[in-house]
Amino acid sequence: MAQPPPPSRTASVGPPNVGGMGAPPASTPGGPGQNSQQNLNQIVLEYLNKKGYNRTEAMLRKESLNVDPNGIPVIGKVADSGGKKWSPSFRLVKNWIEHGLDIYKAELVRLEWPVFVYAFLECVCECFYDEAQAFFNEYKGDFEEERGQELQQLARISLPEHVQENKLAKTYREHQYAVALSSMANATLVEFLEARERDGGSVISTILQNHIKIVPMNRATTARGLQKLMEEKEVENKRGVMWQGEGIPGHYPGSANTDPNASSALSKLALAAMPMDPDLMEDVRADLGQEDSLHPPAPGQNSLVDQFEQNIKQEPQDDAAPNRDAIPFPPSTARDVAMEVQKVRENRDRFRIEGRTGGVGPGLSVTMFTFHNTFDSVNCIEFSGDHTLAAIGTAESYIRVWSLDNRALASPHDPPGFQASSSRRLIGHSGPVYGLSFSPSAAVPEPATNGYTTGASSPDSQPRYMLSCSADSTIRLWSLDTWTNLVVYRSHNSPVWDVRFSPQGHYFVSCSADRTARLWSTPQIAPLRLFVGHDSDVETIAWHPNGAYIFTGSGVGDKTLRVWSVTRGEQVRIFTGHTGNITAVACAPNGHVVASADDKGEIMLWDLRTGQRTKTLKGHGRGGIWSLDWSVESSVLVSGGADKTVRVWDVQPNKETQAKANGESGGGAKIDGSSVGGGGGGAVSKTGGKTKGPVVSPDQISCFQTKKSPVYKVRFTQMNLVMAGGAYLELA
Amino acid sequence: MSVWNPENVTDVAESIGIASLNREVVEHLSRDVEYRISEVLTEALKFMRHAKRTTLTTQDVSQALRLLDVEPLYGYESTRPLRFGEASIGPGQPLFYVEDEEVDFEKLINAPLPKVPREISFTAHWLAVEGVQPSIPQNPISTQSNAELATRGPGANSTLAALSGNDSQGVKPPVKHVLSKELQLYFDRVAPAIMDETNEDYRTAAFASLKTDTGIHQLVPYFVQFVANKVTHNLKSIFILLQSMQLVAALLDNPSLYMAPYVPSIVPSVLTCLIGKNLGSSTDAPDTHFALRDFSASLLSATARRYGPTSSTLKPRIARSCLSNLLETNKPLGTHYGAVLGLTFIAGAAGVRSLIVPNLKAYDAHLQRVVQDDSKKKQAEFVVQAIMRALEVLEQDAVPGMQNGHPEGEALKERLVEAIGEVLGTRVFESGRQSLANAVLEKDLAV
C-alpha cells in the first residue's frame, strides 16, 4: 500500500540500524510493476478527491513524485537522510547567516546556539549516536567561548536516557529558548528556509517551530543603527549582541514575567530605604543631640543631628519606600539606638568618595587580612560589621573566629581559670562550611577619656549572632556571647551554598543546590518563604539595603540573576547575560543598582528600575570573583577574586564616556592615545584582542595584586575603608 | 564511540559472572558509564568552586556522590591533593594511579608522633593606601606584568598608576613629604631648645609646647628620628639622653597626636636608655644613670600599657630583650638594674613570677661575687633594691589565705635561700615581712 512516508523529525526511538535508511520504504520494492503502482495511486487519488480530502491529496501527489520509476523512494530531501540530516542543514543556515547582510547578522547569529543544541539533542534522541557526536564536534568550536560550560555538560550526553535525565538537556527540552528577531530578519529567515526546504531548510524550520520562541523586536526601540551594529560586531567578537531576554526563561528584558502574552511594562519596585521606626528615630535623634553637646562638631563638620536629618531626607521622591508593616521587626532596643547613632557618626566622618574628581577615580585604602597555614582549607571569610571579629569557614566542618584587636574571646561557660585566647572554634557542622554571616553591628567606641579613644569597641556593640551554612544542608545560628550553637535550621535538602543576615537583622536568607532560596526569621525553625524558579543551583544571594528584596544568582544552565520580593515571595526581575556561574552579587547602598560577577571574570551592573544592564566590567582573570562590595556613596565598586587581585571600579553610568569610547573606535581606525591614561575604549578592542591577558575595561580605577593569596572577601566599612580577606597559598 | 574503554565493562561483567555480553550492550553501557562519571565530575567541580579552590580533592568527589545519592567511596579521604604515579601500558597509553605508600606497622607504632601542623593565623597589612600599593614585603614585587593590569581609560587615575609603579612610561614622579615653612621653623627652634643645657626656661617652654600643641602631627616622624639620632650618638651624655626621653614623654603626652604607628621606632631608643651598657661618662657621679634608667622604665611601662593592646608583639619583645640582658652576667650592673625594672613594669606580677623568680638563684651567685667587690658594692645595692621591689609586686599579687604551712625562723630563711639565693634570701628574711616571704615561696611551689 502506498503510504506517504511519515515525517521523520520527532523522536522515533528505534534501533540504531534504521540510520541511513531514512523512512521505511513506501512500497515493497520489486513487487508489482510500475503500472500497478500508478494505478493504485490513481485509485487512491480519486478516492481522496471524491471524499474532499484536498490537502491529503495534494500531499500524496507531491510525495509520489519522489518515487523513482521502480517505486523506490529517492532520497532527495536532506530531511529524509536520518541522522545525517542535521549537519548539512545546520551548515546551510550557518553559512547563510554568516554571508548574509550585516544588518541582520547580529540578530540571526544568536539563533545558531539554540538551533545547535536542539539539533544535537534531537539527534541523540533519535539514537544516531555517532552522527550526534560528529555533529557536536564539528560545530562546538563556534560556541566554546560563550558557552564553554554548557558544552561540557552537553558533550557527555550520548544516549536518549541521558537526555531524559540530564538537567541541562531537560531544561532545554522542556522550555522554549527565546531569541529576539526584528520582523525583517525574521521574514528573510523564513523565506530562506522555505526556499531551501529540500536542502535542509525544513529541518531547521521544525526546530524553530518546536523549540524556539522568536520574540519580535522593534528595531526602532533598540535604537541600533547599522553603524552601531558594525561596531558592536567588532567588539563582541562576531557572536552578535545578546538580547537581554535571550535564553531559557524567555522574558522581557528585566521583567520576571515569563508569560508570552504579558505586557512588557515592568512592575514598580519600592527601592527607597525602609522608613525608620518612629520610636527608634526619636531615641536616635535625642542621643545624637546629646552627643553633639558633649563633642561639638569640628569647624566645617555637620552636627550629628544635621547629618541624621540629611540622611533621612535625601531619598529621591520618585521611589516608593517599602511598607514597614509588611515586614515586621521586633521592637528596637538600646543597642539598636547605639548602632544607629554610630552609623550616623561614621557616615559623617567617613572618607568621602563623591565620584570622579577631575575625571580621575578616587584612591582607596585597602587593608588585607591574610590567613596563613590554611592548606587551602578555608572556604569563606567574613568580617563583622564592627570590624572586631573575623571568621573563617573551613573544609574541615568547623568555624573559627578571631578577634581582630587581640581581645580574649571569653564565654560565661568557661571553666574557672580558663585562659580565653583571641580565637574560638565553633564545632557543629558535619560538612564543609560554605557561608558565614554576622548579625548586624556597628563599632560603638568606648566613651573617650582624655581625648584618647582606645580603639576597642564597647562589648555591647559587637555582633551577638552568626549564621553558618554547610554541605550537610543545615544552617546553624551561633551565639557569640557563649560561643555555642543555638539553633539548627533544617529544610534545604542539598548543600547550602550561602546565607545572609538581613541588613536590619532578625531575618535571613539562604540558597542551596536544591535550586531554591529560602527566607527565615531567627526565632523560627521553618522557612517563611521559598523562592523557587531557578533552573540550576542558586549559588549566591544578597539583600537589598531596605530589606524588602533579595537577589539570587544561579549557576550553569540558568545563569540568571533574579530579584524576589520578600513580602510577596515572587520574582520581580530577571537579568540574563552572564556567560558563567554567578559567584557574587551585591546591591548598591542607594538601592538602584545591583552588581553581579561570574567566574568568567565579568562584572555586570543592572539598573533595578529599568531592568536594563548598564555596564559590563571586564578585567578579572578566570576562576571566580568571590566578593563584591559598594562604597557608601554607591559610586565605587570593589571586587576580589581567584586571580589574586582586588580591583576598584568606576560604576557611574557615564553616557559621555561611553559615547566617547564608541566615537573613537567608530570614527577612525587610528587611535592617537590622547585620552587620559593613553588608550580609551578603542584601545581595548584593538590591542586587547591579541594579547594573552584578559581585556581590561576602561572603568577599572585600580588593581592591587596580592602575594599568592586569592581574595575571598572584600568589604567597604561605613567609613569607606576597604577590608579584604584571603588565604596565602604557598603552592599556588 | 565512547572515550570509556568498552573492555572495561566486559571485565567488570566477567568479574560478576556474566560471561557473554552482547557487543551492543557493552557499548551502550560504556556510554552510560562515561555519562555517569562526567556527571559526578560536574557536581564535584561545583563543590570545588564553592570551596574557592582550584584543585579537585577526593572530598569533593565524595560530596558529589552524596549529592547524587550514591554511596561515597570510602578510604580515599584526603585533604591534600593526591599524588599520582604514571605507568605505561603501551606506546602513548599512560596509566595513572594513586601512589600508595607501604607502611611498616611496627615502624609506624614506634615512630615519634609527627609534628603538629602549624595553627591557622592571620596577619594584616596595607594592600593599598589611598590608591597606591606600598612596596612592603607583604605585597608582591611590581613586575612587568603589572603594566598589563594597569588601567587605561577615562576613569583611570594615571597618578595613582604612576605612584604604584604601574604606569607604562616607567617614570616615577618624585613624592616628597612637604613640610610647611612654619613647621620647619618650629622644629628648628624646639629641637635645639630641648638640648640646651644652659637655659632651663627654653627647655620647659619647649616641652610645654610639645605636650599641648595640636598641629605638629607632621613633625612626629622627625622628632622620633631626632631622638633616635641623639640617643645613638650621645650615650656618654646623661643629660642629652634624659632630655631625649623627656621629649618622647612629651610627645606621648600630647592628646592630639596619634603615636601608635611610631611606637616600634621609639621603643629601641627607650630600651637603650633603660638597659644600655655604659651610660654617662666617667666624670659623672657613678649613680646618675640610675635616675635615667628609672625614668626610661616608667616611660616604657606607660607606652606598653597604652599601645600593648594594639600591637600584640610589643610587650613580649620588650620582655624578651630585658630577660636576655638580665641573664648575661658579664653585662654591667646598670644593665641588670634596667632589665629588672623593665620586666617588673612590663610584665607585672605574672612576669616576675615566671621570668624573674626562677632565675634569681642563678643570679644570686653573680650578686655574691659582686658584693665582695667594694667598687661595685653600691651599684649592686641598687640592683638588689630593684629585685626587692619586683618581689614586692608579687607580694601585692599574692592570694591571701594561702599562708598556711610555711615554716618560720631559721627554717624559713633556709627555704628562702634555697629558693632565691643567699643575698636575696637573707634580705627577704631580714625584711621580716611574712607575706613577702610567703609570696616568694608560693611562687616557688607553683613553679
Side-chain angles (χ1 to χ4, degrees):
Chain A
M1 299 294 269
Q3 276 177 346
S8 66
R9 52 183 165 84
T10 41
S12 61
V13 186
N17 53 16
V18 255
M21 288 287 284
S27 63
T28 38
Q34 189 189 345
N35 288 339
S36 65
Q37 174 79 30
Q38 258 176 0
N39 290 343
L40 202 59
N41 279 358
Q42 205 60 45
I43 296 164
V44 174
L45 282 173
E46 273 167 17
Y47 168 76
L48 289 174
N49 198 10
K50 203 162 73 188
K51 283 273 177 186
Y53 296 144
N54 288 335
R55 284 166 66 193
T56 317
E57 188 196 336
M59 185 63 91
L60 182 57
R61 276 183 197 283
K62 196 171 146 203
E63 272 167 342
S64 59
L65 291 178
N66 293 337
V67 183
D68 70 1
N70 294 321
I72 300 171
V74 180
I75 301 176
K77 283 162 77 178
V78 173
D80 297 338
S81 56
K84 293 214 167 61
K85 70 186 172 193
W86 301 107
S87 184
S89 317
F90 187 72
R91 193 182 306 126
L92 173 81
V93 177
K94 191 169 138 68
N95 283 343
W96 176 71
I97 290 175
E98 256 144 54
H99 296 110
L101 282 179
D102 276 334
I103 192 161
Y104 301 135
K105 201 166 141 182
E107 296 170 23
L108 291 174
V109 86
R110 303 302 310 171
L111 273 175
E112 285 183 14
W113 166 253
V115 169
F116 169 76
V117 172
Y118 287 115
F120 170 69
L121 292 178
E122 284 294 321
C123 195
V124 172
C125 280
E126 287 169 19
C127 297
F128 301 114
Y129 309 132
D130 296 342
E131 286 87 349
Q133 208 128 38
F135 174 73
F136 188 82
N137 291 334
E138 189 176 350
Y139 298 108
K140 71 174 180 190
D142 294 340
F143 308 107
E144 210 66 271
E145 193 172 324
E146 193 180 316
R147 306 284 186 168
Q149 279 162 321
E150 275 140 306
L151 282 175
Q152 263 178 27
Q153 292 211 10
L154 291 175
R156 54 180 205 245
I157 294 174
S158 49
L159 296 176
E161 290 88 337
H162 299 161
V163 178
Q164 305 299 324
E165 211 173 281
N166 186 286
K167 288 174 188 165
L168 184 69
K170 252 162 79 182
T171 326
Y172 271 92
R173 300 261 302 173
E174 287 167 8
H175 300 87
Q176 286 196 323
Y177 192 99
V179 178
L181 283 186
S182 64
S183 50
M184 273 310 287
N186 197 4
T188 43
L189 175 71
V190 172
E191 198 182 312
F192 169 77
L193 290 179
E194 276 174 3
R196 306 293 297 275
E197 191 191 359
R198 289 179 66 84
D199 303 331
S202 62
V203 177
I204 303 298
S205 316
T206 317
I207 289 183
L208 289 182
Q209 271 164 26
N210 290 348
H211 298 295
I212 296 176
K213 187 170 76 181
I214 292 179
V215 182
M217 178 176 65
N218 191 350
R219 176 66 63 70
T221 56
T222 55
R224 203 170 271 158
L226 179 61
Q227 196 198 350
K228 191 108 184 286
L229 274 175
M230 305 279 278
E231 282 165 22
E232 274 165 0
K233 184 189 62 174
E234 207 173 303
V235 176
E236 297 284 327
N237 207 4
K238 287 192 184 160
R239 295 304 321 159
V241 192
M242 191 161 171
W243 176 57
Q244 277 193 26
E246 184 182 321
I248 282 301
H251 55 91
Y252 290 96
S255 164
N257 202 336
T258 50
D259 181 0
N261 303 319
S263 78
S264 59
L266 291 179
S267 55
K268 228 174 142 61
L269 300 185
L271 297 177
M274 173 80 80
M276 238 182 186
D277 182 28
D279 291 347
L280 179 64
M281 186 138 57
E282 261 337 287
D283 288 348
V284 170
R285 195 172 287 137
D287 271 27
L288 287 173
Q290 208 175 355
E291 191 73 16
D292 274 335
S293 57
L294 275 178
H295 304 281
Q301 227 175 9
N302 277 341
S303 76
L304 291 171
V305 177
D306 291 347
Q307 181 77 27
F308 181 56
E309 301 290 347
Q310 208 178 320
N311 286 0
I312 298 175
K313 288 276 152 56
Q314 79 184 164
E315 276 87 58
Q317 298 310 308
D318 56 328
D319 270 333
N323 189 353
R324 226 197 132 71
D325 302 329
I327 307 173
F329 278 99
S332 55
T333 61
R335 193 181 123 89
D336 295 327
V337 178
M339 266 167 52
E340 287 302 325
V341 169
Q342 177 62 15
K343 271 187 205 159
V344 175
R345 186 188 297 127
E346 285 184 352
N347 193 262
R348 180 189 65 178
D349 298 344
R350 71 182 191 268
F351 172 76
R352 274 154 211 280
I353 309 175
E354 301 295 5
R356 281 177 314 262
T357 42
V360 167
L364 289 186
S365 300
V366 185
T367 328
M368 174 85 189
F369 292 86
T370 314
F371 288 82
H372 301 271
N373 310 320
T374 59
F375 301 104
D376 217 350
S377 67
V378 174
N379 288 352
C380 54
I381 299 177
E382 192 67 32
F383 298 109
S384 72
D386 64 342
H387 326 303
T388 55
L389 297 175
I392 59 168
T394 65
E396 280 99 39
S397 314
Y398 69 89
I399 300 156
R400 198 154 172 199
V401 186
W402 279 271
S403 87
L404 292 176
D405 51 3
N406 231 9
R407 176 175 52 92
L409 300 178
S411 146
H413 295 338
D414 284 340
F418 178 80
Q419 278 265 318
S421 74
S422 62
S423 93
R424 281 269 178 180
R425 271 197 185 84
L426 303 176
I427 299 169
H429 279 296
S430 59
V433 180
Y434 291 117
L436 294 171
S437 180
F438 282 102
S439 67
S441 62
V444 179
E446 209 103 57
T449 47
N450 191 23
Y452 285 106
T453 46
T454 48
S457 56
S458 64
D460 62 331
S461 71
Q462 276 149 16
R464 304 197 42 212
Y465 305 106
M466 183 170 70
L467 285 166
S468 62
C469 64
S470 152
D472 64 7
S473 54
T474 63
I475 302 156
R476 280 169 193 261
L477 180 73
W478 306 85
S479 159
L480 302 185
D481 297 324
T482 59
W483 304 101
T484 48
N485 187 203
L486 297 177
V487 192
V488 185
Y489 302 96
R490 294 174 208 274
S491 169
H492 282 293
N493 49 17
S494 290
V496 187
W497 294 134
D498 204 357
V499 66
R500 286 290 117 203
F501 251 117
S502 129
Q504 288 81 20
H506 191 67
Y507 295 101
F508 65 93
V509 285
S510 61
C511 62
S512 158
D514 63 9
R515 303 177 171 200
T516 64
R518 292 168 200 229
L519 174 81
W520 314 68
S521 75
T522 39
Q524 278 158 290
I525 54 164
L528 304 175
R529 297 274 188 280
L530 261 79
F531 303 106
V532 185
H534 277 293
D535 291 321
S536 170
D537 292 26
V538 187
E539 308 251 334
T540 177
I541 202 159
W543 281 88
H544 190 275
N546 69 13
Y549 299 96
I550 62 162
F551 306 94
T552 54
S554 176
V556 207
D558 189 11
K559 301 190 288 196
T560 54
L561 173 69
R562 299 183 188 217
V563 188
W564 310 76
S565 159
V566 166
T567 46
R568 288 181 296 153
E570 58 185 30
Q571 301 178 44
V572 290
R573 295 280 189 276
I574 304 184
F575 299 118
T576 47
H578 277 291
T579 54
N581 301 298
I582 298 180
T583 53
V585 180
C587 185
N590 66 12
H592 294 154
V593 190
V594 62
S596 58
D598 63 27
D599 60 359
K600 288 274 182 70
E602 284 181 17
I603 301 171
M604 295 184 182
L605 302 180
W606 312 89
D607 190 318
L608 283 172
R609 278 180 293 192
T610 59
Q612 297 289 337
R613 179 164 69 202
T614 53
K615 262 191 187 187
T616 303
L617 308 170
K618 292 179 187 177
H620 268 288
R622 294 176 80 100
I625 297 168
W626 301 132
S627 185
L628 295 170
D629 205 8
W630 292 78
S631 72
V632 179
E633 294 88 354
S634 309
S635 56
V636 167
L637 180 76
V638 67
S639 65
D643 63 348
K644 306 180 183 74
T645 57
V646 172
R647 289 169 199 252
V648 184
W649 306 91
D650 177 15
V651 295
Q652 302 197 323
N654 42 335
K655 289 265 159 49
E656 67 282 12
T657 324
Q658 212 69 32
K660 207 171 105 195
N662 279 339
E664 267 179 42
S665 57
K670 287 248 157 73
I671 282 118
D672 56 7
S674 61
S675 63
V676 186
V684 174
S685 55
K686 290 281 188 293
T687 58
K690 284 293 145 200
T691 48
K692 269 271 171 79
V695 180
V696 178
S697 64
D699 297 309
Q700 180 177 315
I701 295 170
S702 27
C703 165
F704 309 115
Q705 270 191 308
T706 66
K707 210 171 189 178
K708 294 182 184 168
S709 321
V711 182
Y712 293 170
K713 179 78 189 171
V714 287
R715 182 194 161 86
F716 259 107
T717 70
Q718 287 289 314
M719 301 178 83
N720 278 337
L721 170 77
V722 181
M723 297 169 85
Y728 178 75
L729 300 180
E730 208 142 351
L731 299 168
Chain B
M1 286 305 109
S2 59
V3 180
W4 192 262
N5 194 347
E7 280 172 34
N8 190 290
V9 177
T10 324
D11 289 347
V12 174
E14 275 169 12
S15 76
I16 55 166
I18 302 169
S20 64
L21 211 53
N22 192 328
R23 193 185 59 85
E24 272 177 20
V25 174
V26 168
E27 249 174 46
H28 199 94
L29 276 176
S30 67
R31 278 200 178 102
D32 200 53
V33 168
E34 193 182 323
Y35 172 76
R36 303 288 156 196
I37 288 177
S38 61
E39 187 148 85
V40 171
L41 280 179
T42 319
E43 296 298 324
L45 283 171
K46 214 183 270 175
F47 282 95
M48 179 189 88
R49 197 173 63 239
H50 280 279
K52 303 186 173 66
R53 272 184 274 108
T54 47
T55 41
L56 192 71
T57 65
T58 47
Q59 278 191 332
D60 293 332
V61 176
S62 28
Q63 291 280 4
L65 289 171
R66 216 165 278 153
L67 187 64
L68 293 168
D69 226 0
V70 182
E71 193 176 2
L73 294 168
Y74 297 106
Y76 292 96
E77 287 286 307
S78 157
T79 47
R80 304 283 173 82
L82 293 174
R83 288 204 345 208
F84 291 95
E86 191 181 339
S88 183
I89 52 167
Q93 277 184 298
L95 176 75
F96 295 97
Y97 60 94
V98 180
E99 274 186 6
D100 253 342
E101 226 178 302
E102 248 178 61
V103 182
D104 190 355
F105 222 45
E106 195 73 19
K107 247 189 219 162
L108 189 72
I109 291 170
N110 294 329
L113 285 174
K115 262 200 234 161
V116 180
R118 295 233 202 133
E119 273 253 89
I120 299 182
S121 63
F122 71 91
T123 54
H125 72 271
W126 288 104
L127 187 66
V129 178
E130 309 234 319
V132 182
Q133 193 158 23
S135 46
I136 47 175
Q138 287 90 333
N139 286 333
I141 310 142
S142 58
T143 48
Q144 286 295 321
S145 66
N146 279 16
E148 282 170 29
L149 299 172
T151 44
R152 340 170 192 87
N157 189 332
S158 55
T159 332
L160 291 184
L163 286 172
S164 317
N166 278 351
D167 60 334
S168 39
Q169 281 80 33
V171 185
K172 279 192 185 181
V175 194
K176 269 187 184 164
H177 192 173
V178 183
L179 219 47
S180 73
K181 199 101 187 170
E182 292 79 4
L183 281 177
Q184 287 181 30
L185 210 62
Y186 180 88
F187 184 82
D188 287 346
R189 286 292 157 82
V190 167
I194 286 172
M195 294 303 161
D196 192 342
E197 212 161 341
T198 54
N199 193 334
E200 200 179 336
D201 290 348
Y202 268 25
R203 269 181 277 150
T204 44
F207 283 134
S209 165
L210 283 179
K211 271 180 197 161
T212 53
D213 213 316
T214 51
I216 54 171
H217 200 273
Q218 279 196 301
L219 283 177
V220 173
Y222 294 87
F223 277 119
V224 170
Q225 183 64 31
F226 177 73
V227 167
N229 236 330
K230 285 287 172 196
V231 169
T232 352
H233 297 296
N234 296 293
L235 285 177
K236 290 270 177 281
S237 162
I238 293 282
F239 174 78
I240 292 184
L241 293 179
L242 200 57
Q243 290 308 104
S244 307
M245 287 304 103
Q246 285 192 340
L247 171 58
V248 172
L251 289 176
L252 290 172
D253 258 4
N254 191 331
S256 56
L257 296 185
Y258 180 59
M259 293 294 287
Y262 304 103
V263 167
S265 22
I266 292 174
V267 165
S269 307
V270 181
L271 266 181
T272 310
C273 292
L274 178 66
I275 52 178
K277 236 192 248 173
N278 298 309
L279 300 178
S281 63
S282 47
T283 55
D284 288 330
D287 305 334
T288 42
H289 64 95
F290 286 112
L292 172 65
R293 290 180 201 273
D294 281 340
F295 185 75
S296 315
S298 69
L299 192 58
L300 202 59
S301 76
T303 317
R305 222 176 310 123
R306 191 179 303 155
Y307 300 107
T310 51
S311 159
S312 53
T313 55
L314 180 65
K315 280 186 175 187
R317 232 171 36 217
I318 297 175
R320 207 176 306 130
S321 56
C322 285
L323 188 62
S324 67
N325 273 297
L326 179 64
L327 295 183
E328 279 184 46
T329 47
N330 53 355
K331 286 269 169 77
L333 287 165
T335 302
H336 292 154
Y337 175 79
V340 171
L341 274 189
L343 279 176
T344 320
F345 280 133
I346 291 291
V352 172
R353 187 176 307 149
S354 55
L355 298 177
I356 298 188
V357 175
N359 295 316
L360 278 183
K361 186 100 197 275
Y363 188 68
D364 199 83
H366 173 61
L367 264 183
Q368 266 175 328
R369 232 176 306 123
V370 184
V371 170
Q372 313 299 324
D373 189 343
D374 271 347
S375 62
K376 292 186 181 164
K377 191 166 182 179
K378 206 165 169 206
Q379 298 211 11
E381 182 58 29
F382 271 101
V383 181
V384 172
Q385 288 293 347
I387 295 175
M388 288 300 285
R389 229 180 301 161
L391 294 178
E392 276 164 26
V393 173
L394 272 191
E395 186 190 356
Q396 287 155 17
D397 185 56
V399 188
M402 301 275 285
Q403 282 100 331
N404 294 338
H406 284 306
E408 292 189 0
E410 278 307 304
L412 174 64
K413 181 173 176 184
E414 251 172 61
R415 288 282 302 274
L416 282 171
V417 169
E418 196 187 321
I420 55 172
E422 178 80 44
V423 180
L424 294 165
T426 322
R427 200 61 77 88
V428 171
F429 181 66
E430 279 166 6
S431 75
R433 280 148 62 186
Q434 186 67 36
S435 54
L436 178 61
N438 279 339
V440 173
L441 288 176
E442 198 61 52
K443 306 321 135 200
D444 195 37
L445 291 176
V447 170

